[in-house]
Amino acid sequence: ETGVTQTPRHLVMGMTNKKSLKCEQHLGHNAMYWYKQSAKKPLELMFVYNFKEQTENNSVPSRFSPECPNSSHLFLHLHTLQPEDSALYLCASSQDFGDEQYFGPGTRLTVT
Amino acid sequence: AQSVSQHNHHVILSEAASLELGCNYSYGGTVNLFWYVQYPGQHLQLLLKYFSGDPLVKGIKGFEAEFIKSKFSFNLRKPSVQWSDTAEYFCAVMGNYQLIWGAGTKLIIKP
């Protein structure tokens, strides 16, 4: 398998649930990103990891918790989410931070 | 704070029309500039990029963009659009270790 993969593709969760989104890149890249894409809003950069170290956290609520165990895998742990967190969550990777990014298909999250 | 402006949120054109989508940014230092495209039901993918050198860059599918430093602009152009260019287009700017995205422009091409 090549490129950037994300699982699950769709997720419905209640506000009291805990779930995790997974991203895997098979490109040998050093930087990985989590984005939130909502209708009628700009793409929001949530977290950036460069060489497994978090370099940016753009004021994201603590109910979103990233984890980068190695340079190929990135997780987004979710707990006590709100309905307004419903969105498409995109993962991307690049050779280094700021380079051309390769995106996964996203996880469509619905919080009920 | 740095920002990226895409002035047109929706653009509707007929096939064979010429296209220009605006992108302006606010950072005055060295920048890397990108245009990404998201076709319906597909991943975001790179259309073209500018890091240095010739300010007129060519990308896939006949698209090009011109970096005009004095105007802080990186407008996307295509001389003759096709129905298959229907998509959402995003400008992104990397400057001062910050990566900022524009709000996107939805382009609809009428056959």
Side-chain angles (χ1 to χ4, degrees):
Chain A
E1 198 170 1
T2 59
V4 180
T5 58
Q6 290 186 243
T7 54
R9 294 293 306 276
H10 300 272
L11 178 63
V12 179
M13 59 186 289
M15 289 191 285
T16 58
N17 291 159
K18 289 186 180 180
K19 297 285 184 184
S20 296
L21 309 185
K22 180 182 176 182
C23 175
E24 187 172 358
Q25 56 99 358
H26 309 272
L27 301 167
H29 289 167
N30 299 312
M32 297 187 76
Y33 311 75
W34 277 118
Y35 287 92
K36 178 182 180 183
Q37 187 176 32
S38 306
K40 300 180 182 179
K41 288 186 178 180
L43 203 60
E44 298 174 48
L45 179 61
M46 300 174 71
F47 300 104
V48 180
Y49 278 82
N50 200 28
F51 292 94
K52 300 186 296 177
E53 297 295 322
Q54 186 176 314
T55 59
E56 280 198 37
N57 172 357
N58 292 318
S59 303
V60 179
S62 59
R63 57 186 183 269
F64 294 92
S65 174
E67 180 189 359
C68 188
N70 55 61
S71 58
S72 299
H73 293 85
L74 186 64
F75 295 89
L76 187 62
H77 303 299
L78 316 171
H79 65 99
T80 59
L81 294 192
Q82 305 298 310
E84 60 264 28
D85 297 323
S86 297
L88 182 68
Y89 288 84
L90 294 171
C91 175
S93 71
S94 64
Q95 185 61 52
D96 291 299
F97 176 59
D99 286 341
E100 167 187 352
Q101 293 178 58
Y102 293 77
F103 284 83
T107 295
R108 175 68 61 186
L109 174 67
T110 302
V111 181
T112 60
Chain B
Q2 295 180 43
S3 63
V4 176
S5 296
Q6 291 183 242
H7 306 293
N8 307 104
H9 296 297
H10 291 87
V11 173
I12 301 175
L13 296 172
S14 297
E15 277 194 312
S18 65
L19 170 72
E20 181 161 2
L21 300 182
C23 175
N24 287 88
Y25 60 93
S26 61
Y27 180 63
T30 301
V31 290
N32 292 344
L33 302 160
F34 307 86
W35 276 99
Y36 286 85
V37 61
Q38 189 170 29
Y39 297 104
Q42 295 189 27
H43 303 189
L44 266 165
Q45 58 183 287
L46 183 74
L47 201 54
L48 50 76
K49 64 184 179 184
Y50 172 81
F51 283 12
S52 64
D54 189 344
L56 183 62
V57 292
K58 296 190 183 298
I60 60 171
K61 303 186 181 186
F63 286 89
E64 65 179 30
E66 185 174 11
F67 169 49
I68 303 179
K69 189 174 182 179
S70 60
K71 294 185 178 180
F72 299 93
S73 70
F74 189 55
N75 291 354
L76 182 70
R77 300 194 294 247
K78 185 171 183 178
S80 177
V81 294
Q82 301 171 305
W83 176 78
S84 58
D85 294 323
T86 294
E88 189 161 15
Y89 294 81
F90 296 89
C91 180
V93 178
M94 168 71 179
N96 195 29
Y97 299 101
Q98 292 189 55
L99 181 61
I100 310 293
W101 289 74
T105 297
K106 288 189 176 177
L107 175 65
I108 297 173
I109 306 300
K110 298 184 294 182

